[in-house]
Amino acid sequence: MSRRICIASPKGGVGKTTTSLNLAVALAELGHSVLLADLDPQGGVGHSLAKKDGALAGLAEVLLQNAPVSQAVIQTKLPGLSLLPRGVLEPVDMLAFEDALARTTKLEAVLAEAERNQPITILDTPSGLGSITRKALSLSDWLLLPFQTESLALRSVTQILKLVEHIRRTDNPKLRLLGILPSMVEKQKSHSLDILETVWTGLPGVLDATIPRHEVFAEASRHGAPLAFLSGPPSPEAVRFKMLATEVVGIMERGNEKGSGHENQPSRTLL
Amino acid sequence: MRISLRALFSELEEAIPLSQALMEEVLPQRRSAPVVVPPVSTQGPATAAFPSLDLSSVGTFGVRIWDVILDWSRQATGASTAFLVDMDGLVVATRGPLSPETVEFLSPGLLTAQEQMLQMFQPFGDFQFLSVQFGEDHLCFLSLNLPGNLPLALGLVGPPTVDVALRKNIEAALIGALGS
């Protein structure tokens, strides 16, 4: 299975970090080994896990202080899920961090070492199509594009697909679109449903899984936990991420079959 | 306010071929569109007392078609709340006073219970539906075999009025209205 999934969107607040974290958890709970790397200088993954800014050492120490990668990778309590957080980052070091991420070859080396035993890596990126997102796309096999179901967001889909097409031509021919994930869907609002209908019927690559706008995400954030880790009955939203995980694994497997030349497997006999 | 789908599509003119090209290896086996409901005619079910299901005002396609179907189901059965659930236990649509959160919570469990009932009662004949006391009401949960390979389950909360004949009438009306 191809390994790196870049979660990116030109638009902010569409649920990139929420998707990254909960998809990583869902994949791990399905038995996959996953590394979740936080490339966002804002450190969204750490915030989602209720860690104070810089409470977790991570990429910043590796990139700016030459700390060993092994010290930056955290094995979580969920078997199979490791984190590579942003790390401790003073505001004055932000530019140096972005430069180290986007304009050197360090990130590639760090990821290669961090993901040694992880067949799947999820890269959470900052909003926009800036240098970090471009770098992440140039190192990824797949793009998962969270898409807020509102009309302005339709333009952002075109923008990022153009960028992906450019990166495929210039830097990374193996980059493919894993899917467009409708997020913040509000089934009670006709506007949201209109957009959903439009992309489902008109745009190839829109996933079956959708992520609704729901207060449970804020609750999870307050508790500093992924949805699946909240106490009480399992949230339907956590179930949605399991569906998303199953769907993306299926697409990656199909993509690998097509790319590996195994699609024309000869007939065999067992006995 | 309903926004213009034509305007929305124009936003996607450039995105469509790009997305197609970027997914060419994985796309052919994937769904490109949800089930399309064809233009429908008003086909009432068997009995005169049973209300007819008219989908003509909804258009040929749309998520809101389910709201019309659910309102019709409430009218036909006397249920206060009606909801549709897919085979993963996720709610397709819900209408009535029962909160969407409650419906979301109940649905996976109802599907699991129905699965167990199906297995338990297989030797004794066709299992028709699940009915449980639910507060002051009854909750009926029945699988529907709808056109277009669309397995959905219908939940009805209200007086205990659903019986086998009514269940068959509901399914027949939906099949008639949605097309075969």
Side-chain angles (χ1 to χ4, degrees):
Chain A
M1 182 185 298
S2 293
R3 42 195 301 172
R4 285 194 195 130
I5 303 170
C6 176
I7 301 195
S9 163
K11 201 169 173 302
V14 300
K16 283 187 294 297
T17 300
T18 299
T19 301
S20 301
L21 177 61
N22 289 288
L23 175 60
V25 168
L27 285 166
E29 289 198 320
L30 288 175
H32 299 280
S33 286
V34 185
L35 171 71
L36 171 57
D38 189 358
L39 306 188
D40 185 351
Q42 301 298 322
V45 171
H47 286 304
S48 296
L49 295 174
K51 297 294 175 190
K52 287 180 185 166
D53 199 23
L56 303 171
L59 260 176
E61 284 77 2
V62 176
L63 294 175
L64 303 180
Q65 298 163 22
N66 293 320
V69 174
S70 57
Q71 284 182 13
V73 177
I74 300 166
Q75 174 57 54
T76 68
K77 291 176 184 170
L78 177 61
L81 177 60
S82 303
L83 296 181
L84 177 55
R86 181 204 62 179
V88 179
L89 190 59
E90 296 297 329
V92 291
D93 295 330
M94 192 73 82
L95 198 58
F97 178 73
E98 289 183 18
D99 277 350
L101 265 183
R103 295 187 177 83
T104 69
T105 56
K106 287 181 180 175
L107 179 60
E108 194 165 1
V110 171
L111 288 177
E113 188 173 343
E115 65 195 1
R116 268 188 192 152
N117 298 315
Q118 315 285 351
I120 301 176
T121 298
I122 293 178
L123 304 178
D124 185 28
T125 63
S127 302
L129 302 179
S131 55
I132 294 178
T133 303
R134 292 171 80 125
K135 183 72 172 186
L137 287 168
S138 73
L139 298 178
S140 295
D141 301 282
W142 300 96
L143 163 68
L144 180 61
L145 170 59
F147 161 76
Q148 187 178 353
T149 49
E150 56 118 81
S151 49
L152 281 178
L154 288 172
R155 279 175 210 169
S156 72
V157 173
T158 307
Q159 286 173 356
I160 193 166
L161 293 183
K162 278 182 175 174
L163 176 64
V164 169
E165 206 266 335
H166 172 75
I167 289 172
R168 259 169 73 104
R169 267 190 288 112
T170 55
D171 287 338
N172 180 13
K174 68 182 181 180
L175 178 62
R176 285 174 286 180
L177 178 63
L178 183 56
I180 298 167
L181 173 66
S183 69
M184 303 181 123
V185 176
E186 296 180 88
K187 281 187 180 171
Q188 291 79 15
K189 292 192 176 169
S190 63
H191 181 84
S192 186
L193 286 179
D194 284 337
I195 304 288
L196 194 57
E197 273 181 49
T198 302
V199 295
W200 258 343
T201 54
L203 185 61
V206 179
L207 298 175
D208 290 333
T210 62
I211 308 300
R213 186 190 288 272
H214 199 285
E215 62 187 26
V216 75
F217 292 108
E219 190 189 337
S221 186
R222 271 200 306 277
H223 286 84
L227 290 181
F229 281 57
L230 290 178
S231 59
S235 146
E237 313 319 329
V239 177
R240 289 178 198 276
F241 279 102
K242 280 198 176 166
M243 291 177 66
L244 172 65
T246 306
E247 193 175 3
V248 298
V249 166
I251 293 169
M252 288 195 290
E253 284 175 350
R254 282 201 297 278
N256 278 11
E257 283 165 16
K258 295 273 180 174
S260 66
H262 291 160
E263 56 269 39
N264 295 320
Q265 183 174 288
S267 66
R268 297 180 293 173
T269 53
L270 187 59
L271 294 174
Chain B
M1 184 183 71
R2 186 172 171 88
I3 54 179
S4 161
L5 288 183
R6 186 184 296 273
L8 293 177
F9 271 117
S10 70
E11 294 283 359
L12 292 174
E13 268 174 14
E14 286 183 278
I16 291 168
L18 285 168
S19 174
Q20 182 89 43
L22 291 169
M23 295 196 78
E24 58 187 348
E25 289 163 348
V26 292
L27 203 57
Q29 297 171 50
R30 304 191 52 237
R31 174 193 53 67
S32 59
V35 174
V36 173
V37 180
V40 294
S41 59
T42 306
Q43 295 289 324
T47 66
F50 205 72
S52 62
L53 174 56
D54 181 6
L55 299 177
S56 56
S57 64
V58 195
T60 56
F61 172 72
V63 179
R64 275 170 295 280
I65 204 165
W66 300 121
D67 290 344
V68 175
I69 285 173
L70 290 178
D71 285 343
W72 169 85
S73 301
R74 293 161 69 200
Q75 188 191 354
T77 62
S80 55
T81 295
F83 56 94
L84 276 168
V85 179
D86 70 13
M87 288 300 113
D88 291 309
L90 298 177
V91 178
V92 176
T94 178
R95 300 285 277 181
L98 198 62
S99 73
E101 290 76 19
T102 306
V103 173
E104 292 258 15
F105 173 70
L106 291 173
S107 298
L110 286 167
L111 271 176
T112 308
Q114 182 180 253
E115 191 70 29
Q116 288 177 337
M117 293 290 121
L118 273 168
Q119 287 176 18
M120 258 175 74
F121 287 94
Q122 203 171 24
F124 307 103
D126 192 17
F127 175 78
Q128 292 285 342
F129 59 85
L130 193 67
S131 179
V132 293
Q133 184 80 34
F134 185 66
E136 300 291 309
D137 290 318
H138 271 69
L139 195 165
C140 288
F141 194 70
L142 39 134
S143 287
L144 302 170
N145 255 327
L146 297 182
N149 190 22
L150 186 62
L152 291 173
L154 174 67
L156 297 162
V157 179
T161 53
V162 177
D163 56 19
V164 173
L166 185 57
R167 179 211 190 286
K168 286 182 175 165
N169 270 340
I170 291 171
E171 197 165 73
L174 287 174
I175 290 171
L178 292 171
S180 54

